[in-house]
Amino acid sequence: MAEHASPGVEIARADGRTLVSLRVVAAAAKAARERLGLSEPGRVGQSDPCSIWLGPGHWLLFGGGIGPEELIGRCVESLGGLVHLAVDESAAWAVWQVSGAGARDALARGTGLDLRPARFAAGASARTRLAGIAAVVAALGEDRFQVLIERSHAAYFGAWMADGMR
């Protein structure tokens, strides 16, 4: 259900997701990517677990309906022998779904990212500043985005989006 909607844009919180931060040493990044099917730089992975590349040797993993302990266990099992750190960050992030024909424009007014479809197509992801706060933006489809921000900024981000939709 939408928390806010206007013609062409709908935003909603997507709470209750398992989010695990996975870090590996640089020498193990390629092996980790292969073993877990992790996303390439600047991309959102579509395997299970789903992943967003955050930087060299760093991904944010989303479990498909599983808890953090199980997701961390998958990492430990798959990455045996590789130096890594998998931490439950589910409580640290607020996840927003922004969708509709006006979603790109709504997000573009608060970031320096070039969100035009030719530059930020479905499957792209990036860290940025959005509405003046640190965020991760992932294009899940042509007009469907996921925005991850620190949970402490969730109310501000929701109000900023709602204000822009008036």
Side-chain angles (χ1 to χ4, degrees):
M1 172 169 271
E3 282 197 19
H4 304 286
S6 73
V9 183
E10 184 177 297
I11 65 169
R13 286 283 294 268
D15 289 330
R17 295 196 174 192
T18 294
L19 300 166
V20 169
S21 173
L22 174 65
R23 291 182 182 264
V24 297
V25 295
K30 181 178 179 189
R33 205 169 60 239
E34 290 170 357
R35 290 182 189 183
L36 282 171
L38 301 172
S39 59
E40 296 285 330
R43 305 295 299 166
V44 177
Q46 300 302 316
S47 62
D48 188 20
C50 181
S51 60
I52 294 179
W53 184 84
L54 296 179
H58 189 194
W59 291 267
L60 190 60
L61 308 179
F62 300 77
I66 64 173
E69 296 83 12
E70 185 177 343
L71 187 50
I72 290 170
R74 283 187 190 179
C75 292
V76 170
E77 184 178 314
S78 297
L79 301 178
L82 299 180
V83 177
H84 70 280
L85 175 65
V87 177
D88 177 13
E89 291 191 357
S90 304
W93 295 89
V95 181
W96 289 87
Q97 299 292 337
V98 181
S99 59
R104 283 182 192 275
D105 291 337
L107 293 172
R109 68 184 176 80
T111 183
L113 279 179
D114 184 350
L115 294 176
R116 292 176 297 171
R119 301 284 296 165
F120 204 80
S125 69
R127 286 182 133 175
T128 189
R129 304 237 4 121
L130 178 60
I133 56 177
V136 177
V137 178
L140 302 179
E142 174 132 353
D143 296 322
R144 194 167 61 94
F145 297 86
Q146 184 166 268
V147 178
L148 297 98
I149 57 173
E150 291 179 18
R151 187 167 302 279
S152 61
H153 297 297
Y156 164 78
F157 180 74
W160 181 84
M161 285 295 294
D163 183 59
M165 293 165 52
R166 288 195 251 282

